[in-house]
C-alpha cells in the first residue's frame, strides 16, 4: 500500500451560500489589490536638497563667470544633491468593508469548489509525531496539482509542524482565511475541525442579525398594550396631587378683604386729630 492512500477524505455538503455563489471578478480584484497594498511597509524615503549634507553657501558669484547661476552644490542637478519628488514614508492602506471581503472570499471558494478543488480530510498525519513526508504524501493523494492551501485549527500543532517547511504548501489558520491565499493556490484543503469552524463561524453573524430585526411576539405586544392603560390611570391619579399648591390663592383674597378694615380703623383716628 502506497502512503498516498492513507488520507481519509470526508464527504460533506458544501453550503451553497458559501461555496456556490456568483463570482464577482472586479470585487475580487479590488479586495486582492487592497490586501497587497496593506502589506506594503511604506518606509521608503529619499532626501531632498534640504536634507543632504553641504551646500550651505553659494558656489560662485552670480555674474561674470560665464556659467549658469547656481545657489547650492546640493541642488538636484549636482552629484550628491537632493532628490526631486522622491518617495516619502506613507501608508498604502485602502478601506475595504468587511462585507466586501466576505463576498470576495465566498466568490473565490465557489470558483475552487466548482472545479473540485476544495477537499475536506480527517487529518494529514497519523500518530503523535510530526512527519513532513507523510503529510506531503497525503496531499499528493488528493490531487495532481502541486500548490496547496491547508486550512487548520490553531490547536492542530501536529499538522502545522509537519507542513510548515514545505515550499509547495501554504498553511493558514481558519480565522485568517482570505481571498488572496485561496486564489494563489491550486487546491484548498480543510481539516474536518477547521471546516466545521469556518462554516459555523460564517453562518453565526447572519443568525445574530436575524434576532435583532425579528418583530416582538404577539403575547409581548398584548402585555405592552395592557400596561399602557394602567400607567395612564396611575398618572391620572397622581395629577391632582400636583394641583394642591393652587389652593393657597384664596388665602391671599382673604388678606385683601381684611385690608379695608384697617383703613376704616385709621380714618376715625385721623378725624379725631383734626378736631
Amino acid at each position: 500500500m502506497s502512503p498516498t492512500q492513507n488520507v481519509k477524505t470526508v464527504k460533506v455538503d458544501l453550503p451553497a451560500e458559501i461555496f456556490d455563489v456568483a463570482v464577482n471578478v472586479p470585487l475580487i480584484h479590488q479586495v486582492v489589490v487592497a490586501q497587497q497594498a496593506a502589506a506594503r511597509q511604506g518606509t521608503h524615503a529619499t532626501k531632498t536638497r534640504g536634507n543632504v549634507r553641504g551646500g550651505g553657501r553659494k558656489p560662485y558669484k552670480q555674474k561674470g563667470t560665464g556659467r549658469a547661476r547656481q545657489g547650492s552644490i546640493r541642488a538636484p542637478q549636482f552629484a550628491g544633491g537632493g532628490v526631486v519628488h522622491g518617495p516619502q514614508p506613507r501608508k498604502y492602506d485602502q478601506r475595504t468593508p468587511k462585507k466586501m471581503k466576505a463576498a470576495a472570499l465566498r466568490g473565490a471558494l465557489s470558483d475552487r469548489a466548482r472545479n473540485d478543488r476544495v477537499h475536506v480530510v480527517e487529518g494529514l498525519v497519523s500518530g503523535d509525531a510530526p512527519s513532513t513526508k507523510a503529510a506531503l504524501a497525503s496531499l499528493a493523494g488528493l490531487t495532481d496539482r502541486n500548490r496547496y492551501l491547508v486550512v487548520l485549527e490553531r490547536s492542530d500543532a501536529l499538522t502545522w509542524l509537519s507542513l510548515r517547511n514545505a515550499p509547495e504548501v501554504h498553511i493558514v489558520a481558519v480565522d485568517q482565511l482570505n481571498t488572496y491565499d485561496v486564489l494563489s493556490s491550486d487546491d484548498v484543503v480543510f481539516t474536518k475541525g477547521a471546516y466545521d469552524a469556518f462554516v459555523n463561524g460564517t453562518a453565526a453573524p447572519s443568525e445574530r442579525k436575524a434576532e435583532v430585526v425579528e418583530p416582538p411576539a404577539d403575547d409581548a405586544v398584548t402585555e405592552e398594550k395592557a400596561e399602557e392603560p394602567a400607567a395612564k390611570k396611575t398618572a391620572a391619579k397622581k395629577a391632582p396631587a400636583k394641583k394642591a399648591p393652587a389652593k393657597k390663592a384664596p388665602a391671599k383674597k382673604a388678606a385683601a378683604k381684611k385690608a379695608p378694615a384697617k383703613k376704616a380703623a385709621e380714618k376715625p383716628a385721623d378725624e379725631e386729630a383734626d378736631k
Side-chain angles (χ1 to χ4, degrees):
M1 180 182 294
S2 62
T4 60
Q5 299 178 359
N6 294 333
V7 60
K8 294 181 180 179
T9 59
V10 180
K11 293 184 179 180
V12 295
D13 294 331
L14 300 177
E17 62 272 12
I18 302 175
F19 295 95
D20 192 17
V21 300
V23 179
N24 190 341
V25 177
L27 174 63
I28 293 176
H29 176 267
Q30 181 177 350
V31 171
V32 170
V33 169
Q35 183 175 346
Q36 290 178 325
R40 300 183 65 176
Q41 292 183 351
T43 56
H44 42 37
T46 55
K47 292 184 178 181
T48 63
R49 60 183 296 175
N51 303 125
V52 294
R53 184 178 181 182
R57 65 180 181 85
K58 192 175 178 65
Y60 46 82
K61 63 181 182 178
Q62 182 82 349
K63 293 179 172 293
T65 62
R67 301 180 62 184
R69 49 195 174 187
Q70 302 293 339
S72 171
I73 60 172
R74 290 297 174 251
Q77 67 269 23
F78 288 102
V83 178
V84 181
H85 305 306
Q88 296 296 327
R90 72 184 186 91
K91 293 183 179 180
Y92 289 89
D93 298 345
Q94 300 179 15
R95 181 183 176 275
T96 308
K98 292 181 179 179
K99 290 184 178 180
M100 291 178 59
K101 295 179 182 178
L105 179 58
R106 289 194 297 267
L109 290 174
S110 299
D111 178 73
R112 292 294 183 262
R114 291 191 185 100
N115 294 281
D116 297 329
R117 295 189 178 189
V118 176
H119 313 277
V120 181
V121 298
E122 286 287 351
L124 296 174
V125 182
S126 59
D128 299 332
S131 176
T132 303
K133 182 178 180 180
L136 291 177
S138 299
L139 291 175
L142 296 174
T143 177
D144 297 333
R145 291 172 286 271
N146 56 5
R147 287 188 301 177
Y148 310 97
L149 175 63
V150 179
V151 186
L152 303 175
E153 296 177 283
R154 290 187 178 272
S155 59
D156 191 358
L158 182 64
T159 309
W160 205 288
L161 292 173
S162 300
L163 293 174
R164 62 180 180 176
N165 291 330
E168 65 269 30
V169 179
H170 181 66
I171 309 173
V172 65
V174 63
D175 56 336
Q176 297 294 324
L177 185 61
N178 57 84
T179 306
Y180 177 76
D181 290 338
V182 173
L183 295 178
S184 62
S185 60
D186 295 327
D187 289 78
V188 183
V189 182
F190 288 89
T191 59
K192 185 61 169 63
Y195 172 79
D196 293 337
F198 175 70
V199 173
N200 296 333
T202 305
S206 60
E207 292 176 0
R208 288 197 295 269
K209 290 180 181 178
E211 292 178 0
V212 174
V213 298
E214 281 182 358
D218 296 337
D219 54 351
V221 176
T222 306
E223 291 177 0
E224 291 179 359
K225 290 182 179 179
E227 290 177 357
E228 288 179 359
K232 290 180 180 179
K233 290 180 180 178
T234 306
K237 290 179 180 179
K238 293 181 179 179
K242 295 180 180 179
K243 294 180 180 180
K247 293 181 179 179
K248 294 181 180 179
K252 294 181 180 180
K253 292 181 179 179
K257 291 179 180 179
K258 292 180 180 179
K262 292 181 179 180
K263 291 180 180 179
E266 292 176 356
K267 286 181 180 179
D270 296 337
E271 290 176 359
E272 292 178 358
D274 295 336
K275 290 177 180 181

